[in-house]
Amino acid sequence: MSQQWDKILLYKDRSVSQCIETTFDFMRQNRRAWFSSALTLLLPWSLLLGLSAFTPSDDEIGTEGLFFEMLFKWKGDSAPFFFPVLFIGVWMAYVHVYALLTTYDERGEAINRLTQRQLWPAYWRMALRSSWLAVGFFLTAVAIFLSPAILSLLLVVVMIPLSLLPSVSLFERAGVFKAVGKSLRLGFNAWFQLFFTIALMVLFGFFMTMVIELPSSLFDLAFGALYGSGRSLGAVAVLFQYSFTALLYLGFFIVISMTLMAAAYQYGTVSERIDIASLEGDIRNFENL
């Protein structure tokens, strides 16, 4: 007997809690495709970022430093590979979410049984279509990081409405300027709803990070109590530390993916409300004739 399938509509009026609940419903309904896609697109970058765990102190490695430390260390020295790899991981989170959403919308059935080989064309198509978005968000993130505090705050305020930009660009096939303009118009009309959606997803990510990091913190405390803080880690301990660091970054990318999906359902909510308001206005104008 086939399992009953209820398609999750993108364009539907939802509250903040309902947008988040719908995100979890999508993940649950298409859990096999969702998690296999996450492992395919997000795990490689998490494993690379896990190398940032190898940041021994200068008295352990001398003045020259280790290769991994020079590439990924972000305490004091610059990290030439850390932030680019982090950026690519966030970009792949976008590709992950919107490839699944578009494939789900195009099909008349759930995508849970699709293999990664069947999803790869959607990944490539989404990566190519989102390249300008990725560059734009990267430059915006750099501007926020380098700008004074007040200007950074203003950029963050503008970035809340621009969280709708990927959905507008993708689902409406709008050009750059049209997509930015409509994202700002829709986003500012629902700024607080978008803000609370993103804030709740970030809070969820904070608690998930604490859960992931707890075993690693307990291990560090136990190791320090047994052997002292000055003793270097053994091979098993280093592998353990690396694994939890990579898992932490994988959790970070998954939370980014869930936030992007919740923002997509917020786009559907705002669009539906505006369409309903426009329809009601047309009806009133017709009655006044």
Side-chain angles (χ1 to χ4, degrees), residues 44-95:
W45 311 106
S46 304
L47 294 176
L48 277 176
L49 288 171
L51 297 175
S52 62
F54 297 100
T55 55
S57 58
D58 292 337
D59 58 347
E60 293 175 340
I61 62 174
T63 57
E64 295 182 356
L66 293 177
F67 176 72
F68 290 141
E69 185 189 21
M70 290 186 291
L71 295 181
F72 291 96
K73 184 176 180 181
W74 58 291
K75 295 179 180 179
D77 299 332
S78 61
F81 282 1
F82 181 86
F83 290 108
V85 172
L86 184 67
F87 163 72
I88 294 174
V90 173
W91 181 21
M92 290 300 102
Y94 168 88
V95 173

Side-chain angles (χ1 to χ4, degrees), residues 120-256:
W120 265 109
Y123 297 154
W124 282 110
R125 184 171 64 251
M126 199 55 53
L128 292 175
R129 291 180 59 182
S130 64
S131 57
W132 68 271
L133 275 173
V135 173
F137 277 110
F138 175 75
L139 294 177
T140 304
V142 172
I144 292 174
F145 181 76
L146 297 178
S147 299
I150 296 178
L151 184 57
S152 297
L153 180 61
L154 292 176
L155 288 173
V156 170
V157 170
V158 175
M159 284 298 293
I160 297 296
L162 285 179
S163 64
L164 299 180
L165 181 59
S167 298
V168 174
S169 173
L170 175 64
F171 296 117
E172 301 187 16
R173 298 185 180 275
V176 177
F177 297 105
K178 183 179 179 180
V180 171
K182 187 164 186 178
S183 300
L184 292 174
R185 180 168 59 86
L186 294 177
F188 278 115
N189 286 331
W191 194 92
F192 287 101
Q193 190 167 350
L194 280 168
F195 172 79
F196 284 116
T197 300
I198 295 173
L200 287 174
M201 295 306 299
V202 170
L203 184 63
F204 170 78
F206 172 75
F207 285 113
M208 189 173 76
T209 300
M210 289 182 61
V211 172
I212 296 175
E213 198 173 7
L214 182 61
S216 179
S217 300
L218 293 176
F219 172 81
D220 290 339
L221 288 174
F223 186 89
L226 290 175
Y227 301 105
S229 58
R231 182 167 177 175
S232 60
L233 300 176
V236 176
V238 169
L239 180 62
F240 182 86
Q241 187 180 19
Y242 166 75
S243 300
F244 271 96
T245 304
L247 184 62
L248 193 65
Y249 282 110
L250 179 61
F252 167 76
F253 290 138
I254 287 177
V255 171
I256 293 292

Side-chain angles (χ1 to χ4, degrees), residues 100-112:
L100 293 182
L101 282 175
T102 53
T103 304
Y104 181 85
D105 189 60
E106 292 169 357
R107 294 174 62 89
E109 57 184 359
I111 60 174
N112 197 42

Side-chain angles (χ1 to χ4, degrees), residues 274 276-289:
I274 289 180
I276 292 175
S278 178
L279 179 61
E280 290 176 347
D282 292 340
I283 293 175
R284 285 194 300 269
N285 291 334
F286 178 77
E287 290 176 347
N288 292 332
L289 291 177

Side-chain angles (χ1 to χ4, degrees), residues 6-82:
D6 295 324
K7 186 171 184 177
I8 299 173
L9 300 177
L10 176 65
Y11 296 99
K12 183 179 178 180
D13 193 352
R14 297 181 175 94
S15 64
V16 172
S17 60
Q18 287 173 334
C19 286
I20 296 176
E21 182 181 357
T22 304
T23 299
F24 284 101
D25 288 341
F26 184 94
M27 294 172 59
R28 183 165 50 250
Q29 186 182 94
N30 306 282
R31 53 189 175 274
R32 179 179 175 183
W34 203 94
F35 285 104
S36 61
S37 174
L39 292 177
T40 300
L41 295 176
L42 306 179
L43 183 60
W45 311 106
S46 304
L47 294 176
L48 277 176
L49 288 171
L51 297 175
S52 62
F54 297 100
T55 55
S57 58
D58 292 337
D59 58 347
E60 293 175 340
I61 62 174
T63 57
E64 295 182 356
L66 293 177
F67 176 72
F68 290 141
E69 185 189 21
M70 290 186 291
L71 295 181
F72 291 96
K73 184 176 180 181
W74 58 291
K75 295 179 180 179
D77 299 332
S78 61
F81 282 1
F82 181 86

